[in-house]
């Protein structure tokens, strides 16, 4: 038996090591700082011979049963033990992480295990976290209520929280855990978080570059230096993953410019002493610039003729080497192989570098592969959308020979639906045999119902309000149901519509809509906007469409409209009739009701890659509408549109577009003062179609000028638009119009792109013309033949008669005065006359096909409060009477 009376062993140094590692456990008021257990005094030396365990007792345990604690140990009654055995028992207790203090006392083989249990966690509290919300932190930490408190979990949670903040670019964040002691051996764990500022990239240094400037290389990187131009960019924070990505971007840039030996020797990110900024330093080795050597194609596929393929290769000998061009060529050859049905063609470029001549010879080896057929088409992930809605967009069917063009076209059509995740791709998997392929489409549905309210202000419509509800995938069948209401200071409308894209599961679309539109036309007197006529249109439209080819479609429509055109009676009527002296004969001829029964068609071709923001492709359309199948209006209206987008490289996109139209009336005869085509059916041109000109600012128009009649014998027409007598400018529109546009989208840096800025420069050309010259009111209408003087006209509202004012000067209030007041006029009217009209003169301008030309620049901005468009344009060429406008904007918001 061991002569030593007792042995005590303790593991209290565990928490000391934890605190030395840099994590503090402390608490404020009502909190107890967790002190490290005291290190026990060295135990007496164990006897050289082993003793036998006589008994084992456990004391100090509260929640845990003694047998549970003993089950963690290898000590058993009756077995021999020594100091090493007791040391191992202490390690086993420590490994459980159930106790904050424990020791073993040996009294001649009677072992007593004294434990102090770790507390139970009552609450886990996060304090100081503002940038990172609790719902982002709590799923990442291990500590939770009703769990046993352990130091290792605290350490892990502290490290995890700091790591979360580092991912947000906050490398200065610190976390201090504290423990608040409660009764019944419970604690609250508090993580006090100091988030610190976001660590920005202060500077990017590049060492070793001679061929390209630092600015050129920085433009290629995703990471940007913090500054005024990048103040709203998220790419100014440090991200290790982005650092690796930037190295690949640098390598790709040099490889595209012929530097095949380029390499990044090192990339180091140094955190400043205040942990607020990073300084990134790249050390690069550019190497020599290479050219293409001999370029060849070898094919083991019988349908591939190497000589023909070689002629199609984009690179030529002695061109500067471009690795991206090689990659694109491999992809192009794979797509070409796919057109012939070889889905798994192996295209392997073989490089032969000659360091002496600095050339890179390439042979594209096309390996042998079997022609493949579509064994099966799988559609997965659609819970609302019916399978047939997805399958009917496929350009390939099961059993067809594989065709890469059909796959690409299918992907484009599925993406155009807008029902699924963006950039959906069809996976190609090997089938049950080498010549079989399975096409698997894994879709992720997104909401297709839209409820939107928007408000805004534009320079054309002033206040705008729009409300609409639309379901683009009604019942999961691809049907579209919509309702919308629009309101502005000068226009109002309400519309309900429904479209079935595949009638009876055939590729025929049908739809219809009912609507009411209220439009107020207007003109300007000086800078004051004045409503002229009001047009209320109530009607419906039915339409149908069918594809003729993959890119060409035919659409037919029928609409029936009831129009009511009115003028403000208080302003434009006299004696219960439209007054041509006030309204103008052209407006008086436009008023009234009419019914338009219209049937039309559109033949359209469209192969653009994206209908919203195309980068390449073209669209063409020809449409005609025939009014006269019943109703009171008869005409044929023809329109043609064409546009083409060119990708000029480096994200420069050029759009060239042109359109034109003509309306031909038939039946009936024009009145002596009006055109066969009514005012509301004609074409108009101006803002926003033609920037640099005001709304309806181009084309035939009548301008009414005031007259200075101080000297009735020599009246003077006031053509100064700044005169306080004000001009009235009425656009008449025309039967024909044309318009052309050149617009170049200019790419900006990453920071501006993130802000949603898309600037462009443009050239607009167009004209609207061909209208019957209206009968105009001139000074001759105000000349009294009795004395040859120009006088006011007196109108009797009872008889409708018109007479000249009697001679006699009056004051500016229209009352007779004696003696005369200088500056008066001939406006004294006989008894019974209720209205008089001062002299004016109307002139007709703008009815010419000669083009109007404007140039300018504009920018689209997807601002935080909605889309914003601003344009500055200058009219290079205009005709007399045209209304120009240099600045225009449109802004709105959604909520």
């Amino acid at each position: 038996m061991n002569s030593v009376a007792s042995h005590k062993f303790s593991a209290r140094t565990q928490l000391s090591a934890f605190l030395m590692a840099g994590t503090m456990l402390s608490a404020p008021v009502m909190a107890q700082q967790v002190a490290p257990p005291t290190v026990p005094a060295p135990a007496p030396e164990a006897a050289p011979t082993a003793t036998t365990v006589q008994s084992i007792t456990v004391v100090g345990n509260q929640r845990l049963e003694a047998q549970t604690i003993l089950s963690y140990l290898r000590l058993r009654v009756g077995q021999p033990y020594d100091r090493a055995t007791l040391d191992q028992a202490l390690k086993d207790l420590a490994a459980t992480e159930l106790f904050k203090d424990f020791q073993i006392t040996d009294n001649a083989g009677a072992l007593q295990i004294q434990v102090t249990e770790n507390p139970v966690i009552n609450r886990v509290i996060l304090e100081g976290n503002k940038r990172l919300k609790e719902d982002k932190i709590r799923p990442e930490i291990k500590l939770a209520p009703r769990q046993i408190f352990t130091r290792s979990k605290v350490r892990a949670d502290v490290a995890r929280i700091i790591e979360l903040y580092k991912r947000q670019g906050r490398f200065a964040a610190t976390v201090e855990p504290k423990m608040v002691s409660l009764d019944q051996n419970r604690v609250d764990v508090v993580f006090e978080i100091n988030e610190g500022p976001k660590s920005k990239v202060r500077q990017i240094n590049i060492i070793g570059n001679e061929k390209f400037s630092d600015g050129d290389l920085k433009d290629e990187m995703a990471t940007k230096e913090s500054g005024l131009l990048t103040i709203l960019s998220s790419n100014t924070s440090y991200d290790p993953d982005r650092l690796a990505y930037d190295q690949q971007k640098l390598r790709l840039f040099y490889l595209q410019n012929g530097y095949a030996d380029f390499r990044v020797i090192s990339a180091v990110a140094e955190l400043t002493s205040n942990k607020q900024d990073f300084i990134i330093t790249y050390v690069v080795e550019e190497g020599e610039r290479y050219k293409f050597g001999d370029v060849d194609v070898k094919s083991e596929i019988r349908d591939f003729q190497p000589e023909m393929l070689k002629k199609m290769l984009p690179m030529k000998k002695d061109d500067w080497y471009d690795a991206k061009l090689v990659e694109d060529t491999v992809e192009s050859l794979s797509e070409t192989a796919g057109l012939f049905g070889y889905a798994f063609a192996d295209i392997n470029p073989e490089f032969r570098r000659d360091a002496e001549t600095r050339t890179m010879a390439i042979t594209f080896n096309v390996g042998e592969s079997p022609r493949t057929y579509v064994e099966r088409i799988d559609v997965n992930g659609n819970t609302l959308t019916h399978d047939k809605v997805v399958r009917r967009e496929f350009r390939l069917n099961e059993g067809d020979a594989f065709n890469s063009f059909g796959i690409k076209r299918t992907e484009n059509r599925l993406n155009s639906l807008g029902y699924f995740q963006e950039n959906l791709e069809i996976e190609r998997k090997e089938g049950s045999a080498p010549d079989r392929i399975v096409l698997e489409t894994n879709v992720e549905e997104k909401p297709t119902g839209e409820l939107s309210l928007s408000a805004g202000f534009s320079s054309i419509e002033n206040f705008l309000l729009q409300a609409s509800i639309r379901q683009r995938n009604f019942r999961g069948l691809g049907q579209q149901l919509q309702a919308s209401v629009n309101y502005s200071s000068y226009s109002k409308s309400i519309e309900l519509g429904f479209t079935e894209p595949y009638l009876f599961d055939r590729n025929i679309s049908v739809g219809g809509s009912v609507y009411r539109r209220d439009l107020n036309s207007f003109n300007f007197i000086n800078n004051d906007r004045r409503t002229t006529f009001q047009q209320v249109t109530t009607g419906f439209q039915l339409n149908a469409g069918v594809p003729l080819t993959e890119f060409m479609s035919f659409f037919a429509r029928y609409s029936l409209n009831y129009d009511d055109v009115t003028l403000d009676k208080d302003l434009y009527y006299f004696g219960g009739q439209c007054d041509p002296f006030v309204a103008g004969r052209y407006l008086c001829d436009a008023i009234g009701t009419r019914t338009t029964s219209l049937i039309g068609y559109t033949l359209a071709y469209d192969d653009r890659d994206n209908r919203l923001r195309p980068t390449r492709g073209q669209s063409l359309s020809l449409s005609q509408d025939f009014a006269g199948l019943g109703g009171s209006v008869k005409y044929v209206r023809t329109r043609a549109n064409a546009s083409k987008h060119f990708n000029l490289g480096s994200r420069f996109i050029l759009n060239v577009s042109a359109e034109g139209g003509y309306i031909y009336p038939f039946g009936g005869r024009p009145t002596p003062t009006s055109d066969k085509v009514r005012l509301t059916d004609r074409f108009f041109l101006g803002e926003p179609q033609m920037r640099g000109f005001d709304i309806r600012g181009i084309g035939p128009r009548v301008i009414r000028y005031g007259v200075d009649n101080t000297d009735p014998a020599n009246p003077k027409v006031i053509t100064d638009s700044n005169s306080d007598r004000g001009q009235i400018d009425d656009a008449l529109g025309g039967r024909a119009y044309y318009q052309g546009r050149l617009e170049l989208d200019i790419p900006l840096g990453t920071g501006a792109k993130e802000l949603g800025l898309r600037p462009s420069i443009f050239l607009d050309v167009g004209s609207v013309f061909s209208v019957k010259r209206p009968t105009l009111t001139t000074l001759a209408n105000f000349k009294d033949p009795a004395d040859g003087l120009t006088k006011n006209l007196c109108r009797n509202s009872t008889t409708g008669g018109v007479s000249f004012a009697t001679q006699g000067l009056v004051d500016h209030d229209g009352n007779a005065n004696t003696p005369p007041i200088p500056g008066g006029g001939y406006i004294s009217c006989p008894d019974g006359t209720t209205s008089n009209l001062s002299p004016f003169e109307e002139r007709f301008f703008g009815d010419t096909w000669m083009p109007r030309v404007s140039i300018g620049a504009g920018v689209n901005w997807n601002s935080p409060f909605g889309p914003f468009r601003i344009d500055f344009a200058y009219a290079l060429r205009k005709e007399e009477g045209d209304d120009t406008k240099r600045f225009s904007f449109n802004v709105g918001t959604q909520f």
Side-chain angles (χ1 to χ4, degrees), residues 3 8 24 53 86 144 173 213 223 249 275 341 363 365 395-396 427 505 545-546 586 616 694 716-718 723 893:
S3 61
K8 293 184 179 181
M24 299 177 61
V53 177
L86 297 181
S213 67
T223 304
K249 290 279 289 181
K275 296 186 178 181
T363 300
N365 296 309
R395 302 296 94 182
L396 294 175
E427 297 184 22
D505 293 329
V546 59
Y586 37 87
R616 62 179 179 274
D694 208 343
K716 297 179 180 179
V717 178
I718 304 173
S723 169
T893 187

Side-chain angles (χ1 to χ4, degrees), residues 428-539:
R428 310 173 190 181
K429 296 186 175 181
E430 295 183 357
S432 58
D435 63 344
R436 296 291 183 265
I437 186 173
V438 175
L439 302 179
E440 184 174 285
T441 307
N442 296 306
V443 302
E444 180 181 341
E445 292 180 318
K446 61 182 182 182
T448 55
E450 299 175 3
L451 174 62
S452 66
L453 297 173
S454 61
F457 183 87
S458 78
S459 58
I460 298 177
E461 294 291 332
N462 292 344
F463 177 73
L464 301 166
L465 177 66
Q466 179 184 27
S468 67
I469 182 171
R470 182 173 66 157
Q471 174 54 259
R472 294 181 290 108
N473 190 15
F474 184 57
R475 300 188 301 158
L477 295 173
Q479 299 167 337
Q480 180 169 301
L481 182 66
Q482 65 179 8
S484 64
V485 177
N486 294 277
Y487 176 87
S488 74
S489 302
Y490 294 92
S491 64
K492 307 170 186 65
S493 69
I494 182 171
E495 184 170 354
L496 301 173
F498 175 80
T499 300
E500 166 58 70
Y502 276 78
L503 183 64
F504 306 125
D505 293 329
R506 296 180 178 274
N507 199 357
I508 301 173
S509 66
V510 296
S513 61
V514 293
Y515 46 82
R516 178 183 172 90
R517 301 169 183 146
D518 187 345
L519 169 68
N520 291 335
S521 184
F522 55 87
N523 59 25
F524 288 92
I525 299 180
N526 293 332
N527 293 323
D528 296 328
R529 182 170 179 167
R530 187 183 72 167
T531 299
T532 54
F533 67 86
Q534 182 182 46
Q535 179 181 0
V536 178
T537 301
T538 305

Side-chain angles (χ1 to χ4, degrees), residues 272-285:
T272 57
S273 57
N274 58 6
K275 296 186 178 181
Q276 294 186 8
D277 297 297
F278 275 89
I279 298 176
I280 301 176
T281 303
Y282 294 94
V283 179
V284 302
E285 183 180 317

Side-chain angles (χ1 to χ4, degrees), residues 50-242:
T51 57
T52 302
V53 177
Q54 302 297 323
S55 64
I56 304 175
T57 58
V58 178
V59 295
N61 55 311
Q62 297 177 356
R63 296 185 308 274
L64 299 174
E65 296 291 337
Q67 290 301 321
T68 301
I69 297 174
L70 292 176
S71 67
Y72 294 119
L73 307 179
R74 304 175 193 178
L75 291 174
R76 298 293 181 268
V77 175
Q79 75 175 31
Y81 72 95
D82 54 15
R83 184 185 181 97
T85 305
L86 297 181
D87 287 340
Q88 183 60 47
L90 290 173
K91 293 179 181 178
D92 292 339
L93 288 173
T96 65
E97 294 191 339
L98 297 174
F99 313 104
K100 65 179 179 180
D101 191 16
F102 46 88
Q103 63 182 14
I104 300 176
T105 303
D106 179 13
N107 186 12
L111 303 180
Q112 184 183 74
I113 303 175
Q114 185 174 353
V115 298
T116 302
E117 295 176 348
N118 272 332
V120 176
I121 298 174
N122 178 57
R123 291 184 302 166
V124 178
I125 303 172
L126 302 174
E127 294 182 353
N129 56 307
K130 297 180 181 178
R131 302 295 181 180
L132 207 57
K133 300 303 180 183
E134 289 198 13
D135 59 349
K136 301 295 183 182
I137 298 177
R138 289 195 178 275
E140 302 291 336
I141 60 179
K142 296 181 179 179
L143 291 180
R146 295 183 296 279
Q147 286 187 354
I148 303 298
F149 173 86
T150 66
R151 299 175 180 86
S152 61
K153 289 182 180 179
V154 173
R155 287 195 297 269
D157 286 349
V158 168
R160 184 58 180 160
I161 294 173
I162 291 177
E163 179 62 27
L164 291 176
Y165 276 99
K166 285 183 177 180
R167 291 186 181 182
Q168 296 288 327
R170 299 183 182 275
F171 285 79
T174 60
V175 180
E176 183 179 351
K178 293 184 178 181
M179 185 177 71
V180 181
S181 297
L182 305 173
D183 57 358
Q184 299 179 359
N185 199 23
R186 295 176 304 135
V187 294
D188 285 344
V189 179
V190 182
F191 290 104
E192 292 187 352
I193 302 172
N194 181 8
E195 295 180 317
K198 200 166 188 178
S199 301
K200 300 287 187 178
V201 176
R202 179 197 298 175
Q203 187 175 347
I204 298 176
N205 300 320
I206 304 175
I207 301 173
N209 56 310
E210 297 179 357
K211 305 300 181 182
F212 298 97
S213 67
D214 288 1
D216 291 336
L217 300 182
K218 290 176 183 179
D219 287 342
E220 298 296 320
M221 299 179 186
T223 304
K224 302 300 178 183
E225 294 175 330
S226 59
L228 292 178
L229 296 179
T230 58
I231 190 171
L232 297 180
S233 174
S234 61
N235 286 352
T236 58
S237 59
Y238 171 71
D239 187 339
D241 294 334
R242 196 184 297 130

Side-chain angles (χ1 to χ4, degrees), residues 390-644:
V390 180
R391 292 180 179 273
R392 68 195 183 193
E393 302 299 330
F394 271 78
R395 302 296 94 182
L396 294 175
N397 295 316
E398 293 169 345
D400 289 349
F402 176 82
N403 185 292
S404 59
F405 173 80
I407 296 296
K408 184 63 176 177
R409 181 60 181 163
T410 300
E411 291 174 345
N412 290 339
R413 291 179 65 92
L414 288 174
N415 284 319
S416 297
L417 292 177
Y419 305 160
F420 312 114
Q421 75 274 20
E422 295 182 1
N423 301 321
L424 179 149
E425 293 184 355
I426 299 173
E427 297 184 22
R428 310 173 190 181
K429 296 186 175 181
E430 295 183 357
S432 58
D435 63 344
R436 296 291 183 265
I437 186 173
V438 175
L439 302 179
E440 184 174 285
T441 307
N442 296 306
V443 302
E444 180 181 341
E445 292 180 318
K446 61 182 182 182
T448 55
E450 299 175 3
L451 174 62
S452 66
L453 297 173
S454 61
F457 183 87
S458 78
S459 58
I460 298 177
E461 294 291 332
N462 292 344
F463 177 73
L464 301 166
L465 177 66
Q466 179 184 27
S468 67
I469 182 171
R470 182 173 66 157
Q471 174 54 259
R472 294 181 290 108
N473 190 15
F474 184 57
R475 300 188 301 158
L477 295 173
Q479 299 167 337
Q480 180 169 301
L481 182 66
Q482 65 179 8
S484 64
V485 177
N486 294 277
Y487 176 87
S488 74
S489 302
Y490 294 92
S491 64
K492 307 170 186 65
S493 69
I494 182 171
E495 184 170 354
L496 301 173
F498 175 80
T499 300
E500 166 58 70
Y502 276 78
L503 183 64
F504 306 125
D505 293 329
R506 296 180 178 274
N507 199 357
I508 301 173
S509 66
V510 296
S513 61
V514 293
Y515 46 82
R516 178 183 172 90
R517 301 169 183 146
D518 187 345
L519 169 68
N520 291 335
S521 184
F522 55 87
N523 59 25
F524 288 92
I525 299 180
N526 293 332
N527 293 323
D528 296 328
R529 182 170 179 167
R530 187 183 72 167
T531 299
T532 54
F533 67 86
Q534 182 182 46
Q535 179 181 0
V536 178
T537 301
T538 305
F540 70 88
Q541 178 172 295
L542 302 175
N543 53 72
V546 59
L548 302 179
T549 67
E550 183 62 31
F551 299 108
M552 184 174 290
S553 301
F554 178 83
F555 302 92
R557 57 189 169 273
Y558 173 78
S559 62
L560 180 64
N561 296 326
Y562 177 79
D563 294 310
D564 185 10
V565 180
T566 59
L567 294 174
D568 187 344
K569 292 187 177 181
D570 293 335
L571 186 62
Y572 296 108
Y573 275 59
F574 181 77
Q577 301 292 327
C578 178
D579 187 352
F581 284 105
V582 177
R585 291 177 176 83
Y586 37 87
L587 286 183
C588 290
D589 291 337
I591 61 175
T593 61
R594 57 179 178 160
T595 302
T596 304
S597 177
L598 186 146
I599 186 170
Y601 75 91
T602 297
L603 186 64
Y605 177 89
D606 192 342
D607 65 357
R608 294 174 297 175
D609 60 342
N610 189 310
R611 294 187 178 183
L612 296 178
R613 291 191 60 187
T615 61
R616 62 179 179 274
Q618 58 192 346
S619 65
L620 307 168
S621 69
L622 172 66
S623 63
Q624 285 189 303
D625 294 293
F626 302 88
L629 190 65
S632 56
V633 178
K634 301 180 186 298
Y635 61 77
V636 178
R637 182 171 57 207
T638 303
R639 288 183 176 178
N641 293 270
S643 69
K644 187 172 181 61

